Amino acid sequence: MRQILFAAAIGLVLSLVGTPVLIRILARNGYGQMIRDDGPKAHHSKRGTPTMGGIAFILATLVAYGLTKLLVGSAPTPSGLLVLFLMTGMGLVGFLDDYIKIVKQRSLGLRAKAKLAGQLIVGIVFAVGSLRFADASGVTPASTKLSFVTDFGWSLGPVLFALWAIFMILAMSNGVNLTDGLDGLATGASVMVFGAYVFIGIWEYGQTCGSAATAGPNCYSVENPLDLAVVAAALMGACFGFLWWNTSPAKIFMGDTGSLALGGALAGLAICSHTEMLLAILGGLFVLITLSVIIQVGSFRMTGKRVFKMAPLQHHFELKGWSEVLIVVRFWIIQGLCVAVGLGLFYAGWVTN
C-alpha cells in the first residue's frame, strides 16, 4: 500500500510545484486560451489565460508512477503502462489540437477527421495491447466480456471488444472535454472518480482469485489491480495539485491536452479493472453533460427549438444567472453523489454475487 501513498503524494507535489512553472512558460510564449464570441459573455475576461495545462498533470503522473516504482523496487505492470499510454496518447492528440488553435489561430484546432483519426489510432493500440500480456494464470489486462462490477455474459470476441473499447475511450474523453467549461469543474470531478478507482483497485487486489488466502468465492479475475490503484492515485494527486491553480479564478486551463488525457485514463482504468459500465455511474456528471449536448442538438435538428439556453449544461445555468463558483460546487456535489452510488453498487455486487 506504500505505492499508493507515494504515487499520490509525489503526483500532488510535482503538479502543485510544476504548474506555476508551466504557467510562466506558456504566458511567456503567448499560449493563451481563445474564447468563442458565441459563448457566455462572462468568459471573455478569460481570453489569454494560459492553456494546455494538462501537460503539468500528465508529466506529474508519469514521473510519480516511475519514482514510486523505483522507491519500492517494484516493476511496472502491463495494466498500469497501458493506462498511462492511453492517457499520454490522448493527451498528445489534445496537445496538437490546442497548439493549432493557439499558434495557427484556428479556433477549431485540428480538423475533425484528423482529431478522430488520432484518437482512433491511440484507442486501437490500447485495445489490441490490453488483450495481450497475459499473466501466469492467463489473465490479460482487459477481458472480451462486458463488465459492470465484474465480467458477465458471453465473449464479444477481439473485434467487437476493440470497437467497444474505442467507443468508451471516445465517449469519456469527449465527455470530460465538454465538462471542461468552467474553472476547476472537470478537474475536481476527475479527482473524485480517480479516488473511486483507488478504492476499487485496492478492493480487487484484496479479493484476487489467485490469492487463495484472502479471496472468497466472489473473487476478481483482474490483472494487476493494485497497480491500477497506483496509477489512479498518481492521477488523483496530480489533478489535486493542478486544481490549486485551475480553480476560480483559474490561472491556467487544462485545454484539450488535459481533458482528452483524463477521459482516456478514466476509460483505461474502467476497462482494465473490468468495471466498464460502472464508469457511466462513477463519471455520472460527464455523462449528464454529454447528454445535454446530445439533447440540445437532437431537439434543434428535429424541431428547430432548443431545450437549454446553451449547451453544455453548465452554460445553461450561467445564462440563467448562476455564478460560476455556484455551478461548479453544485456540480461537484452531483459528481460526489454519483461516485457514492457507484461505489455502493460495486460493493453490493461483491456481496450479492
Side-chain angles (χ1 to χ4, degrees):
M1 299 304 170
R2 289 183 306 157
Q3 295 185 64
I4 294 171
L5 296 176
F6 286 158
I10 295 171
L12 172 63
V13 172
L14 289 177
S15 186
L16 193 60
V17 174
T19 301
V21 175
L22 179 63
I23 291 173
R24 289 194 291 271
I25 294 172
L26 293 172
R28 189 183 309 128
N29 289 277
Y31 292 167
Q33 178 70 36
M34 296 179 65
I35 303 297
R36 293 174 58 180
D37 293 330
D38 59 350
K41 289 182 171 56
H43 287 209
H44 292 178
S45 62
K46 300 181 181 184
R47 182 177 279 110
T49 301
T51 187
M52 297 194 290
I55 295 171
F57 57 73
I58 291 172
L59 292 178
T61 300
L62 294 174
V63 175
Y65 180 81
L67 284 180
T68 296
K69 292 301 175 182
L70 288 175
L71 288 171
V72 301
S74 174
T77 68
S79 296
L81 292 176
L82 279 166
V83 175
L84 292 175
F85 162 78
L86 184 56
M87 173 195 72
T88 307
M90 295 298 288
L92 180 59
V93 175
F95 173 81
L96 293 174
D97 191 40
D98 287 333
Y99 185 81
I100 291 172
K101 287 178 184 175
I102 297 166
V103 177
K104 303 295 185 182
Q105 292 294 300
R106 196 168 77 201
S107 61
L108 296 179
L110 275 174
R111 303 296 183 190
K113 289 183 179 179
K115 188 174 182 179
L116 179 60
Q119 292 175 305
L120 287 175
I121 291 170
V122 175
I124 290 170
V125 173
F126 169 83
V128 172
S130 66
L131 294 179
R132 305 176 74 86
F133 309 109
D135 62 13
S137 302
V139 177
T140 54
S143 167
T144 56
K145 291 185 177 181
L146 294 175
S147 61
F148 184 58
V149 297
T150 187
D151 291 338
F152 68 87
W154 59 90
S155 173
L156 296 175
V159 175
L160 286 179
F161 165 77
L163 294 175
W164 167 242
I166 290 167
F167 169 77
M168 281 193 62
I169 294 165
L170 292 175
M172 189 51 61
S173 59
N174 289 309
V176 178
N177 183 252
L178 291 171
T179 304
D180 182 38
L182 300 180
D183 295 354
L185 178 57
T187 310
S190 297
V191 165
M192 298 182 205
V193 188
F194 289 131
Y197 273 106
V198 172
F199 173 82
I200 288 172
I202 293 173
W203 187 266
E204 290 182 340
Y205 174 71
Q207 306 297 330
T208 300
C209 292
S211 179
T214 57
N218 303 331
C219 61
Y220 298 94
S221 183
V222 176
E223 186 180 12
N224 311 125
L226 184 61
D227 208 41
L228 293 175
V230 172
V231 172
L235 279 158
M236 180 181 68
C239 286
F240 249 131
F242 182 75
L243 184 59
W244 180 270
W245 305 100
N246 182 233
T247 195
S248 182
K251 300 296 187 294
I252 187 170
F253 300 139
M254 70 169 68
D256 284 10
T257 306
S259 60
L260 296 188
L262 292 181
L266 289 170
L269 287 168
I271 291 169
C272 291
S273 64
H274 301 194
T275 56
E276 296 155 8
M277 294 183 179
L278 185 65
L279 180 59
I281 298 173
L282 292 172
L285 180 64
F286 304 127
V287 175
L288 177 65
I289 288 176
T290 302
L291 285 175
S292 73
V293 175
I294 295 172
I295 291 170
Q296 184 84 326
V297 173
S299 174
F300 186 75
R301 287 184 176 177
M302 289 189 292
T303 67
K305 297 180 180 179
R306 293 179 172 86
V307 176
F308 307 105
K309 290 180 177 293
M310 186 177 180
L313 187 61
Q314 62 269 30
H315 299 319
H316 166 79
F317 289 105
E318 275 192 291
L319 295 180
K320 284 179 68 68
W322 291 22
S323 70
E324 181 171 4
V325 173
L326 178 64
I327 297 168
V328 169
V329 171
R330 286 182 173 174
F331 276 36
W332 279 351
I333 293 171
I334 293 172
Q335 178 55 52
L337 291 173
C338 290
V339 167
V341 171
L343 288 178
L345 291 172
F346 177 77
Y347 179 72
W350 179 79
V351 171
T352 60
N353 189 16

